[in-house]
């Protein structure tokens, strides 16, 4: 099962990715979580300890590896390089694992048709496509906002795209944009996830104003989320209300796409 998580900046994509990843892992499933944000935070939300985190480097920053695989130095424009470098060993070699969640940091990824034609983008595009083709039990992609950077493989292999929103018109506006962009490329398996919802009114607002996307579930606003971050512990362990809500969503999603 391949799940991509998107939405406007700061809405809670990484928090949701961490919660779902740990839930599936606790169920005994094999989880590969991929942080595809230019400034990776998923390790923190998962409560990975510092020594484990220090072993992680975003693939986009591994200049020597990129040069070895593509035949050209990152940052070079023009010249020859391999556009389909070998990447099959990367998920295992450059990830770290804790409590059943394997984590890979990709770094700044531009995997669509746009962006530069350079060794690092060739490497990341190939890796991203490889991840989508792999037969991982559960793949969770913590993306950044928008879907314009998504290519054909995403449409074919992502089982669910979760669009995280806060109960604000602005955030729902972004969700509507994502829905349109997704429709343009033929991606239809989208769900809305409400986050930072403080009361019934806000929950009702989300349900009423959804841009035609089914609401998978709602995560309550809880100051303990920030506390968990400060303490360096997993939101999953520290905030029972979020653990419960996300677990229900994760179960629902399995039912919805099987
Ligand atoms: N349910 C919640 N209640 C309270 N605070 C929350 C909740 N969910 C997330 N936050 C806080 O909101 C901030 C953004 O959360 P998070 O990093 O998960 O969002 P994001 O969408 O991944 O952000 P970015 O776009 O920067 O990657 C964090 O400070 C987090 O602690
Ligand atoms: Mg994030």
């Amino acid at each position: 099962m391949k799940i991509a998580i998107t939405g406007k900046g700061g809405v809670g994509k990484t928090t949701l990715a961490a919660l779902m990843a740990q839930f599936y892992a606790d169920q005994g499933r094999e989880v590969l979580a991929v942080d595809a944000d230019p400034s990776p935070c998923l390790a923190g939300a998962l409560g990975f300890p510092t020594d484990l985190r220090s072993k992680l480097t975003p693939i986009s920053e591994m200049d020597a590896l990129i040069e070895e695989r593509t035949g050209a130095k990152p940052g070079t424009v023009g010249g020859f390089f391999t556009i389909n470098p070998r990447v099959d060993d990367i998920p295992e070699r450059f990830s770290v694992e804790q409590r059943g969640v394997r984590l890979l940091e990709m770094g700044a990824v531009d995997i669509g048709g746009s962006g530069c034609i350079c060794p690092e983008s060739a490497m990341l595009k190939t890796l991203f496509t490889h991840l989508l083709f792999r037969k991982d039990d559960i793949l969770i992609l913590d993306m950044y906002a928008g879907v314009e950077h998504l290519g054909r493989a995403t449409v074919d292999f992502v089982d669910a795209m979760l669009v995280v929103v806060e109960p604000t018109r602005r955030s729902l506006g972004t969700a509507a944009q994502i829905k349109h962009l997704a429709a343009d490329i033929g991606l239809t398996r989208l769900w809305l996830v409400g986050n930072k919802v403080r009361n019934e009114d806000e929950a009702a607002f989300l349900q009423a104003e959804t841009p035609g996307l089914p609401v998978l579930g709602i995560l309550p606003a809880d100051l303990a989320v920030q506390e968990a971050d400060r303490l360096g512990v997993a939101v999953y362990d520290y905030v029972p209300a979020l653990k419960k809500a996300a677990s229900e969503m994760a179960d629902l999603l399995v039912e919805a796409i099987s």
Side-chain angles (χ1 to χ4, degrees):
M1 187 161 83
K2 297 178 165 56
I3 305 167
I5 301 182
T6 184
K8 197 171 162 55
V11 288
K13 299 178 289 294
T14 300
T15 303
L16 179 67
L19 287 164
M20 292 185 92
Q22 197 59 61
F23 173 76
Y24 288 128
D26 278 6
Q27 285 195 322
R29 304 193 65 166
E30 267 183 43
V31 178
L32 176 61
V34 176
D35 194 335
D37 196 289
S39 48
C41 304
L42 188 51
L46 281 162
F48 277 33
T50 332
D51 60 327
L52 205 56
R53 289 165 68 171
S54 67
K55 293 186 184 136
L56 274 172
T57 307
I59 303 299
S60 63
E61 293 170 17
M62 293 188 161
D63 289 0
L65 178 76
I66 295 170
E67 184 175 3
E68 175 205 310
R69 299 300 169 91
T70 63
K73 269 199 200 327
T76 52
V77 181
F80 291 103
F81 58 88
T82 310
I83 56 163
N84 57 346
R86 179 177 171 222
V87 293
D88 60 307
D89 58 330
I90 288 179
E92 272 68 36
R93 261 183 75 186
F94 297 105
S95 58
V96 294
E97 195 262 352
Q98 176 182 259
R99 289 167 60 191
V101 179
R102 183 167 281 288
L103 173 66
L104 180 71
E105 288 183 350
M106 287 186 70
V109 192
D110 181 356
I111 39 208
S114 62
C116 75
I117 301 170
C118 51
E120 54 274 38
S121 76
M123 181 87 175
L124 292 172
K125 275 182 203 176
T126 309
L127 176 59
F128 191 77
T129 307
H130 172 73
L131 289 170
L132 291 171
F133 270 94
R134 268 166 62 112
K135 293 268 177 283
D136 283 298
D137 184 15
I138 304 271
L139 174 72
I140 295 182
L141 298 161
D142 178 10
M143 313 288 300
Y144 45 98
V147 288
E148 62 281 9
H149 50 284
L150 302 179
R152 183 76 233 162
T154 316
V155 182
D156 292 341
F157 294 104
V158 165
D159 298 296
M161 179 168 283
L162 306 184
V163 186
V164 184
V165 290
E166 290 172 9
T168 63
R169 285 198 193 279
R170 234 180 260 174
S171 169
L172 284 160
T174 305
Q177 274 172 357
I178 292 173
K179 188 195 169 193
H180 282 129
L181 290 165
D184 286 348
I185 59 169
L187 183 64
T188 53
R189 298 169 298 273
L190 266 71
W191 281 266
L192 207 69
V193 171
N195 187 26
K196 308 190 194 180
V197 173
R198 287 174 301 180
N199 52 46
E200 287 299 320
D201 285 350
E202 290 189 342
F205 171 76
L206 274 181
Q207 297 280 1
E209 300 291 330
T210 158
L213 295 175
V215 179
L216 184 67
I218 284 174
L219 299 167
D222 196 323
L223 289 177
V225 178
Q226 270 110 303
E227 243 169 76
D229 176 78
R230 200 159 29 82
L231 298 170
V233 296
V235 179
Y236 185 82
D237 300 325
Y238 198 73
V239 195
L242 263 74
K243 174 182 174 176
K244 181 169 177 285
S247 303
E248 284 166 11
M249 280 185 231
D251 267 338
L252 270 178
L253 199 57
V254 171
E255 271 174 48
I257 61 186
S258 57

